[in-house]
Amino acid sequence: MREVFTLAVSAVLLAGFYAAMAYGLGLIYGVLRIVNLAHGGIIMAAAYLTWQLFERFGVDPYIAIPVALVVFFALGAGIYLGLVRFLPRGPAGAVQSLLLLFGVWLIIRNVAYLLFTGNEQAIHTSYATRSVTVFGSSFSVTRILVFAIAVVALLLLHLLLTRTYLGKAIRAVAQNPDSCTLAGIDVERVRIFTFGLGTALAGLAGVLASTLFAFNPSFGAAELLKSFVIIVLGGLGSIVGIALGACVLAFAEVFSIYVVPPYLTSAVGFVLLVVVLVLRPGGLFGQRVLR
Amino acid sequence: MLEVRDLEAGYGDAQALFGISLSVNAGELVTLVGANGAGKTTTLRAIAGICRPAHGSLLFEGKPLNAVPAHHRAALGIALVPEGRELWPQLTVLENLELGAFERGARSRRTQSLEKVFELFPVLKERAKQLAGSMSGGEQQMVAIGRALMSRPRLLMMDEPSLGLAPVMVTHMFAIIRRLHAEGLTILLVEQNLSRALEIADRGYVIETGKVSLTGTAEELLTNPAVRTAYLGI
Ligand SMILES: Nc1ncnc2c1ncn2[C@@H]1O[C@H](COP(=O)(O)OP(=O)(O)O)[C@@H](O)[C@H]1O
Ligand SMILES: [Mg+2]
């Protein structure tokens, strides 16, 4: 019983991180109908940025978050302006967008190999090994902090999308761009902002990941795939869908230790993905539209 | 107020407009009629800017429009209620209306605009929190018109606002259009329902395969023998 409680709490903590990690991918897909294959590369790059800030300047990883948000927002907007905007619109551009963004990922990865070699890195903060005990089970402070930050980020994002003119415009562009133009919305600017915001969220996920895991320049591949699984599970409908998708994945992974050996944990998500795609191609919680 | 000269436009290689010229004076209700595929929608889309003309000039209040990006035309006072309504179905009615007033000038006056829209369509006030996509066809058309009005237009273009509506709703829509016109709004109306459109219009243009084939006052067109046989089946 104690063990089930421990695992359940671990799963919830993990789900928070997963939701924040998936949201950037979902946002970009919802508005631009493009799967950002560079998502994992951005997560990795943000982990390295955090590590550099920590090692060189002693900046605490969580203090580095605003820096990462600004840097990766700018990088995302730059990728959109310099590359993505030249893709053909609609289904015609789907394959090109995959190739293009996969190329971006390869570039980011190889730059990281050049700069930092392929050695594993990790961030060892003074509180990295500290933990708190709840009902006799102990949880690491880092995991709790990551969860709290992820939840706050998702709430702020929710407020942005539902309460501000810009956020409503983002959702409207996802649903009918021509009508946005008629209403006086500069659709292209909304797309630039969305790509920047989605990339900044991947950057946030990278900062958080750097405090949880060791990483090397190939880090991010599993994170991209997991983000994809979450979006397929939860749909783009709302923050609730993403959160549910993240919970399903996190619980499946964490509780899979009862049935499969630990080294197969990361395969759990993909099995889940295949099963859902076969049984419910619309996703578990439906909603193919950002709303 | 609006002057269209020799407008040519199309979709890829398929040309749809072959030199349309028309004008709308301030305060007028002008209607564009013609068969399916004649080019009425394309004409309105070109004026609104979401379809790029290949040739011809557009003047709005004496100023050339061609170089004005589509998303700046709302601020000039041009609004289009598109064919098929084109709402944001997963946003609420209220959000649809609010976004209609996105542009800065309109945004500062959105409270008054909203009051006006709710006065015109009281049912929208009751349904403000409902998703636009879950409304009936007639209510969606009200949202589409309301959204256009939220931008405080000086020229309101409507593309087949009665399409697919129940007869009662069609009558209601025409009453609304007549009222907006009576209040001084300049309107360019595209309609398949030619007799009802000419009933409330000042002037009309008949469009055939991308050209203006006939123009005149509403009365002239209604009594024109060619129009009567071709479009009214009399
Ligand atoms: N999206 C489109 N792609 C290609 N051709 C189109 C498109 N929309 C309209 N057309 C063509 O352009 C011509 C004019 O269409 P349209 O302006 O919609 O006519 P109307 O509104 O008078 O029915 C028609 O021949 C139609 O087939
Ligand atoms: Mg049409």
Side-chain angles (χ1 to χ4, degrees):
Chain A
M1 202 51 224
R2 157 77 44 81
E3 189 177 78
V4 171
F5 170 75
T6 310
L7 290 179
V9 175
S10 304
V12 170
L13 295 180
L14 185 63
F17 166 66
Y18 278 179
M21 175 179 87
Y23 211 100
L25 193 72
L27 193 65
I28 290 176
Y29 184 75
V31 175
L32 296 138
R33 298 281 138 190
I34 283 174
V35 177
N36 180 14
L37 279 191
H39 190 71
I42 302 290
I43 292 175
M44 177 274 294
Y48 272 97
L49 175 70
T50 314
W51 174 65
Q52 284 285 298
L53 288 174
F54 180 74
E55 293 287 320
R56 290 184 184 225
F57 309 106
V59 178
D60 182 272
Y62 301 111
I63 305 296
I65 287 173
V67 180
L69 288 177
V70 171
V71 166
F72 288 98
F73 181 93
L75 180 66
I79 291 173
Y80 183 87
L81 281 170
L83 300 169
V84 175
R85 109 184 124 109
F86 299 108
L87 290 169
R89 288 249 168 271
V95 174
Q96 279 101 316
S97 74
L98 290 177
L99 290 174
L100 176 75
L101 290 159
F102 186 63
V104 171
W105 183 12
L106 291 183
I107 292 168
I108 297 174
R109 207 173 74 176
N110 285 303
V111 168
Y113 272 116
L114 263 177
L115 292 176
F116 307 116
T117 76
N119 298 338
E120 288 254 312
Q121 306 296 348
I123 294 176
H124 302 286
T125 55
S126 56
Y127 48 87
T129 52
R130 230 176 276 165
S131 61
V132 288
T133 305
V134 185
F135 297 124
S137 306
S138 81
F139 302 100
S140 93
V141 167
T142 305
R143 284 180 177 274
I144 294 169
L145 269 174
V146 164
F147 176 79
I149 292 166
V151 169
V152 169
L154 290 172
L155 284 177
L156 288 177
L157 199 62
H158 182 68
L159 289 178
L160 170 76
L161 288 174
T162 54
R163 299 289 156 83
T164 68
Y165 258 96
L166 177 63
K168 289 173 194 175
I170 289 174
R171 287 150 64 215
V173 168
Q175 294 172 30
N176 192 327
D178 271 355
S179 287
C180 293
T181 305
L182 289 176
I185 297 167
D186 186 343
V187 170
E188 202 54 19
R189 262 172 68 174
V190 171
R191 290 191 174 126
I192 296 166
F193 182 85
T194 304
F195 210 93
L197 185 61
T199 309
L201 283 168
L204 171 68
V207 175
L208 298 180
S210 76
T211 66
L212 295 175
F213 313 112
F215 49 90
N216 64 29
S218 289
F219 184 78
E223 283 63 30
L224 166 68
L225 283 164
K226 285 178 186 182
S227 303
F228 188 69
V229 172
I230 289 165
I231 286 163
V232 172
L233 287 174
L236 305 165
S238 60
I239 239 121
V240 178
I242 298 262
L244 285 174
C247 279
V248 171
L249 177 64
F251 271 84
E253 280 187 357
V254 168
F255 280 92
S256 71
I257 57 154
Y258 286 121
V259 271
V260 296
Y263 62 87
L264 282 179
T265 302
S266 37
V268 168
F270 313 130
V271 174
L272 206 60
L273 177 65
V274 172
V275 171
V276 169
L277 283 178
V278 170
L279 295 181
R280 288 206 51 177
L284 271 191
F285 310 105
Q287 282 314 330
R288 299 279 64 154
V289 194
L290 184 76
R291 54 175 222 180
Chain B
M1 173 176 259
L2 175 74
E3 178 108 29
V4 177
R5 281 192 216 127
D6 296 324
L7 181 65
E8 291 181 22
Y11 303 86
D13 288 338
Q15 193 169 348
L17 304 183
F18 299 86
I20 296 249
S21 295
L22 59 86
S23 64
V24 182
N25 300 316
E28 266 189 322
L29 197 175
V30 174
T31 183
L32 240 56
V33 295
N36 236 326
K40 308 179 296 292
T41 297
T42 310
T43 305
L44 295 195
R45 287 169 64 90
I47 297 168
I50 45 181
C51 162
R52 213 162 255 290
H55 180 83
S57 65
L58 301 165
L59 290 175
F60 186 69
E61 301 190 315
K63 284 179 243 96
L65 267 190
N66 296 56
V68 178
H71 66 269
H72 285 159
R73 296 191 191 184
L76 294 180
I78 298 174
L80 170 63
V81 181
E83 185 175 50
R85 310 185 258 280
E86 307 284 342
L87 300 177
W88 299 295
Q90 303 284 338
L91 299 189
T92 64
V93 168
L94 186 62
E95 287 172 329
N96 269 270
L97 294 175
E98 282 174 345
L99 279 179
F102 186 85
E103 178 273 316
R104 227 166 275 279
R107 202 183 300 188
S108 64
R109 285 186 293 175
R110 73 162 195 272
T111 319
Q112 296 120 279
S113 311
L114 200 59
E115 240 167 61
K116 164 84 191 168
V117 169
F118 284 157
E119 191 240 320
L120 214 52
F121 304 113
V123 65
L124 297 188
K125 190 168 188 174
E126 295 161 29
R127 306 276 168 93
K129 299 278 176 217
Q130 202 170 313
L131 292 186
S134 70
M135 313 261 287
S136 76
E139 289 163 347
Q140 291 197 17
Q141 190 64 58
M142 294 177 193
V143 178
I145 295 173
R147 178 177 66 180
L149 291 174
M150 291 296 291
S151 72
R152 296 258 165 177
R154 276 178 297 161
L155 171 68
L156 179 67
M157 302 190 285
M158 292 193 240
D159 198 346
E160 311 220 18
S162 72
L163 192 70
L165 301 188
V168 186
M169 201 45 92
V170 173
T171 305
H172 183 54
M173 280 303 155
F174 277 100
I176 293 286
I177 297 167
R178 192 198 287 267
R179 179 178 158 189
L180 290 172
H181 176 45
E183 288 172 1
L185 190 59
T186 311
I187 298 175
L188 180 55
L189 172 69
V190 162
E191 258 303 328
Q192 293 255 331
N193 196 334
L194 185 133
S195 58
R196 292 194 92 145
L198 287 175
E199 225 170 81
I200 59 170
D202 299 312
R203 287 190 302 119
Y205 292 86
V206 180
I207 314 264
E208 264 173 49
T209 55
K211 282 200 192 99
V212 174
S213 67
L214 204 62
T215 174
T217 64
E219 219 175 76
E220 284 164 6
L221 291 178
L222 262 178
T223 52
N224 183 302
V227 173
R228 290 174 77 87
T229 45
Y231 296 101
L232 297 175
I234 305 169

